[in-house]
Amino acid sequence: MTIREFAADQVIAREGGRPSESCLVISGMAFRFKMTEDGKRQIMSFHIAGEIPDLQSLHLRKMDHGLSTLTPCKLAFISHRSLRNLFQQHPRLSEVFWRETLIDAAIFREWVVNVGRRPALVRMAHLLCELFLRHKAVGLVTDHAFEFPITQSEMAGALGLSNVHANRTLQELRARGLIGEQGHLLKILDWEGLKQAGEFDPTYLHKEPGDEAA
């Protein structure tokens, strides 16, 4: 395992690349993305501490998307050879990582529905609910608040909205008293209300019973 530090907005793995290692996010936030021919970027997922966003490169040799830092990040790179040896020696760990990739696919499916079928306010509320529970699962929530370094432009890029529409939608969620700001933190003021606004069902995250309680 090799520890490296990256600045914000720095590419970790490029589309078309053939990486020989996968990275674990130790601190900071990263995201996966695709670029269109006219230079537009679609963000497909956000990744926080404790996650391995490019584990699929262990079996899919060529990257079909890019991976970038959102904020300054500390990443641990693990060679694919080391991962394969680990799984051979400890088959139970192989099952755990396989389950992780299945949950990752479940999140992708939910994002497709979110961007393709839900109105803007529902999309935004749904994504905030997801990020809250994922941060909470790894102990990164305090008093219903968590680090939220995502800009409105990046939210727009993840939700298929214009920057102006993303700004208006966030303002509406604040006006409804569902979310608030606490310095650089996003605070959930009304969890049940935010869930209702986002039509949020956490089943796709496959967390343990009780993880959802705010």
Side-chain angles (χ1 to χ4, degrees), residues 100-138:
E100 177 65 20
T101 59
L102 293 176
I103 294 173
D104 194 41
I107 293 174
F108 266 122
R109 289 191 289 273
E110 195 69 28
W111 274 52
V112 170
V113 176
N114 209 35
V115 172
R117 290 297 178 184
R118 293 178 177 132
L121 185 80
V122 182
R123 288 185 212 181
M124 184 80 72
H126 192 282
L127 178 56
L128 295 180
C129 285
E130 177 187 305
L131 290 173
F132 173 72
L133 287 187
R134 287 170 58 195
H135 279 79
K136 189 171 185 292
V138 291

Side-chain angles (χ1 to χ4, degrees), residues 25 34 45 66 86 108 120 142 212:
V25 181
K34 292 274 289 187
S45 59
L86 179 67
F108 266 122
T142 302
E212 184 192 343

Side-chain angles (χ1 to χ4, degrees), residues 28 55 170:
L55 187 62
L170 276 172

Side-chain angles (χ1 to χ4, degrees), residues 123 152-153 155-157 159-169:
R123 288 185 212 181
Q152 290 179 6
S153 175
M155 286 292 282
L159 296 173
L161 302 172
S162 69
N163 289 351
V164 172
H165 203 172
N167 177 270
R168 289 175 179 169
T169 305

Side-chain angles (χ1 to χ4, degrees), residues 128 132 143-148 170-191 194:
L128 295 180
F132 173 72
D143 191 25
H144 301 170
F146 61 98
E147 292 271 358
F148 193 77
L170 276 172
Q171 293 298 337
E172 184 172 350
L173 290 173
R174 293 189 184 102
R176 290 190 183 189
L178 302 178
I179 62 172
E181 295 176 353
Q182 194 175 64
H184 55 284
L185 304 177
L186 179 79
K187 185 163 186 174
I188 308 300
L189 301 176
D190 181 355
W191 171 240
L194 188 65

Side-chain angles (χ1 to χ4, degrees), residues 3-153:
I3 308 297
R4 302 177 199 163
E5 295 190 5
F6 285 71
D9 299 315
Q10 187 173 349
V11 173
I12 303 167
R14 297 185 182 278
E15 183 172 356
R18 298 177 180 271
S20 60
E21 54 192 4
S22 294
C23 69
L24 166 70
V25 181
I26 298 175
S27 64
M29 183 177 285
F31 65 93
R32 286 186 279 199
F33 68 96
K34 292 274 289 187
M35 300 294 297
T36 62
E37 289 189 1
D38 59 356
K40 295 179 180 178
R41 184 179 69 182
Q42 176 67 45
I43 294 176
M44 301 183 297
S45 59
F46 292 112
H47 295 276
I48 62 176
E51 298 181 348
I52 303 179
D54 59 348
L55 187 62
Q56 72 279 352
S57 66
L58 179 64
H59 299 293
L60 303 177
R61 302 302 179 91
K62 188 174 182 179
M63 291 288 291
D64 55 33
H65 61 277
L67 176 64
S68 175
T69 60
L70 183 78
T71 66
C73 285
K74 181 180 289 187
L75 306 174
F77 288 84
I78 312 165
S79 74
H80 290 162
R81 177 180 296 180
S82 295
L83 284 171
R84 292 190 183 97
N85 289 339
L86 179 67
F87 296 155
Q88 289 173 1
Q89 295 170 18
H90 304 281
R92 179 72 182 96
L93 280 180
S94 180
E95 293 179 12
V96 170
F97 276 80
W98 172 233
R99 182 177 186 275
E100 177 65 20
T101 59
L102 293 176
I103 294 173
D104 194 41
I107 293 174
F108 266 122
R109 289 191 289 273
E110 195 69 28
W111 274 52
V112 170
V113 176
N114 209 35
V115 172
R117 290 297 178 184
R118 293 178 177 132
L121 185 80
V122 182
R123 288 185 212 181
M124 184 80 72
H126 192 282
L127 178 56
L128 295 180
C129 285
E130 177 187 305
L131 290 173
F132 173 72
L133 287 187
R134 287 170 58 195
H135 279 79
K136 189 171 185 292
V138 291
L140 295 177
V141 170
T142 302
D143 191 25
H144 301 170
F146 61 98
E147 292 271 358
F148 193 77
I150 306 171
T151 66
Q152 290 179 6
S153 175

